C-alpha cells in the first residue's frame, strides 16, 4: 500500500480486475493494470468494461485475442521442460506389460471422455499390445456419466484394458506422462489447454481436438489434430498414429516444446511487458 511506488497489478479474473480498478481510482495507488485471458468466449457487460480499464491486456492464443476488446499482446503459456522431461521406466499405473494410451482430466462430457472411450473400444481390439488409462476426478454430478462409460467398456469386454485412475498430485504428473506411449486430448472446449503441451514435453506424441491452443503446438511432426465432438475422426487419428513411429513423433514434440513453449519464454515476455508498463511505454 505504498501509494507512490509504481506497481503492476496483474489480474486473471473479474474480481481481481475490479480490486485493481478500486485501488487505483479510490485509494490513488500508483498501479499499472494488466489482465490476462485464456477464454475463447466473448464476454459482455462488466467484463468488457473492466478490460477497457486495463493499461494492457494479454491473450494466450489468437483465438481468445479475437474475442477481447482492444489489442492484446499474445503470450502463450509455457511448461517447465526440466520438470516435464522424458524419463524411462515409469510404471505409475502398474501396467508395465502394456503400452499405454492416456487421457487426463475431469471425467465429464465437456472433456470428451466419452469419445476417448469409444475410440479405445474400437482401436484396442486391433492393437493387443496397448491398454488405456483415463485419469481424473469424478464429481458427484458426473457419477451417472461415469457409469455410462463403464457400461460401454464392459460391452466391449475391455474392462481390464480401459481403466480409470484417480488424479495424481502435480509432483507426479511427469511420471504419469512418461508411462504413456500416446496422449489423447478429446476436449470439446478449452481456454488454452496445458496437458498436451506437458505430454509433448515428455516426448509423448499427441492426438488432440481442434480447441484451445492445441493446434499451435500439436503439429504434424508430433501428432494429429481432429475436429471436436467427432468420435470417428478421433478413432481414425489414433489408429493412424499407432501405425507410425511413436518414438520419432515424441522426440519431435519434445524439441518443438523446448524451442517454442518453454516456461522461460512466457516469463520473459511477461517481464518485458511489466517493464514497458512501469516505464510508461506502449506495449
Amino acid at each position: 500500500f505504498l501509494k507512490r511506488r509504481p506497481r503492476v497489478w496483474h489480474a486473471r479474473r473479474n474480481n481481481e480486475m475490479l480490486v485493481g480498478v478500486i485501488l487505483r481510482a479510490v485509494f490513488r495507488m500508483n498501479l499499472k493494470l494488466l489482465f490476462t485471458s485464456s477464454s475463447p468466449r466473448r464476454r459482455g457487460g462488466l467484463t468488457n468494461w473492466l478490460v477497457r480499464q486495463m493499461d494492457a491486456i494479454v491473450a494466450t492464443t489468437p483465438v481468445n485475442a479475437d474475442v477481447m476488446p482492444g489489442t492484446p499482446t499474445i503470450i502463450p503459456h509455457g511448461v517447465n521442460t526440466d520438470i516435464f522431461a522424458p524419463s524411462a521406466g515409469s510404471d505409475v499405473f502398474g501396467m508395465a506389460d502394456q503400452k499405454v494410451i492416456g487421457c487426463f482430466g475431469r471425467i465429464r462430457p465437456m472433456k470428451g471422455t466419452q469419445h476417448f472411450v469409444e475410440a479405445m473400444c474400437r482401436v484396442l481390439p486391433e492393437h493387443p499390445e496397448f491398454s488405456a488409462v483415463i485419469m481424473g476426478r469424478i464429481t458427484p454430478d458426473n457419477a451417472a456419466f461415469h457409469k455410462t462409460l463403464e457400461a460401454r467398456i464392459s460391452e466391449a469386454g475391455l474392462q481390464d484394458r480401459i481403466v480409470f485412475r484417480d488424479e495424481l498430485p502435480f509432483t507426479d504428473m511427469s511420471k504419469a506422462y512418461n508411462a504413456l506411449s500416446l496422449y489423447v486430448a478429446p476436449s470439446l472446449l478449452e481456454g488454452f489447454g496445458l496437458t498436451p503441451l506437458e505430454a509433448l514435453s515428455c516426448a509423448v506424441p499427441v492426438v488432440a481436438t481442434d480447441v484451445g491452443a492445441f493446434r499451435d503446438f500439436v503439429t504434424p511432426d508430433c501428432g494429429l489434430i481432429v475436429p471436436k465432438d467427432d468420435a470417428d475422426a478421433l478413432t481414425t487419428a489414433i489408429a493412424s498414429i499407432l501405425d507410425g513411429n511413436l518414438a520419432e513423433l515424441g522426440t519431435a514434440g519434445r524439441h518443438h516444446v523446448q524451442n517454442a513453449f518453454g516456461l522461460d519464454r512466457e516469463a520473459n515476455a511477461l517481464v518485458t511487458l511489466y517493464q514497458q508498463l512501469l516505464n510508461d511505454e506502449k506495449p
Side-chain angles (χ1 to χ4, degrees), residues 47-114:
T47 300
N48 283 337
W49 181 85
L50 287 168
V51 171
R52 291 189 181 97
Q53 311 313 305
M54 301 294 107
D55 296 296
I57 51 179
V58 170
T60 56
T61 69
V63 172
N64 75 280
D66 288 342
V67 301
M68 294 176 71
T71 306
T73 299
I74 299 178
I75 302 178
H77 287 315
V79 296
N80 188 322
T81 56
D82 293 328
I83 292 176
F84 292 97
S87 177
S90 175
D91 186 27
V92 70
F93 300 121
M95 304 174 77
D97 59 333
Q98 287 274 286
K99 298 177 181 178
V100 182
I101 303 170
C103 177
F104 303 160
R106 295 256 185 112
I107 313 300
R108 58 180 179 176
M110 195 54 67
K111 287 295 185 182
T113 319
Q114 68 277 24

Side-chain angles (χ1 to χ4, degrees), residues 79-181:
V79 296
N80 188 322
T81 56
D82 293 328
I83 292 176
F84 292 97
S87 177
S90 175
D91 186 27
V92 70
F93 300 121
M95 304 174 77
D97 59 333
Q98 287 274 286
K99 298 177 181 178
V100 182
I101 303 170
C103 177
F104 303 160
R106 295 256 185 112
I107 313 300
R108 58 180 179 176
M110 195 54 67
K111 287 295 185 182
T113 319
Q114 68 277 24
H115 297 317
F116 178 73
V117 166
E118 184 59 34
M120 291 299 96
C121 287
R122 299 178 191 181
V123 169
L124 291 185
E126 304 298 323
H127 293 272
E129 72 278 23
F130 282 92
S131 289
V133 170
I134 304 165
M135 185 178 73
R137 187 152 56 97
I138 304 168
T139 56
D141 57 319
N142 284 301
F145 173 67
H146 175 227
K147 293 287 187 184
T148 66
L149 300 180
E150 288 185 320
R152 176 66 182 104
I153 293 168
S154 295
E155 178 189 357
L158 293 169
Q159 303 94 313
D160 296 332
R161 294 177 59 202
I162 305 175
V163 298
F164 291 89
R165 293 286 188 267
D166 291 335
E167 59 186 354
L168 293 173
F170 176 80
T171 50
D172 289 334
M173 283 304 298
S174 62
K175 296 177 184 177
Y177 290 115
N178 277 300
L180 305 181
S181 296

Side-chain angles (χ1 to χ4, degrees), residues 10-12 35-43 47-48 51 56-77 189-193 210-214 216-217 261 266:
H10 192 167
R12 289 298 305 266
F35 173 62
T36 292
S37 172
S38 296
S39 174
R41 295 174 291 183
R42 291 191 180 276
R43 304 297 177 89
T47 300
N48 283 337
V51 171
I57 51 179
V58 170
T60 56
T61 69
V63 172
N64 75 280
D66 288 342
V67 301
M68 294 176 71
T71 306
T73 299
I74 299 178
I75 302 178
H77 287 315
L189 179 69
E190 291 286 348
F192 185 85
D210 195 5
V211 299
F214 293 171
D216 296 336
F217 43 78
F261 292 96
E266 180 183 12

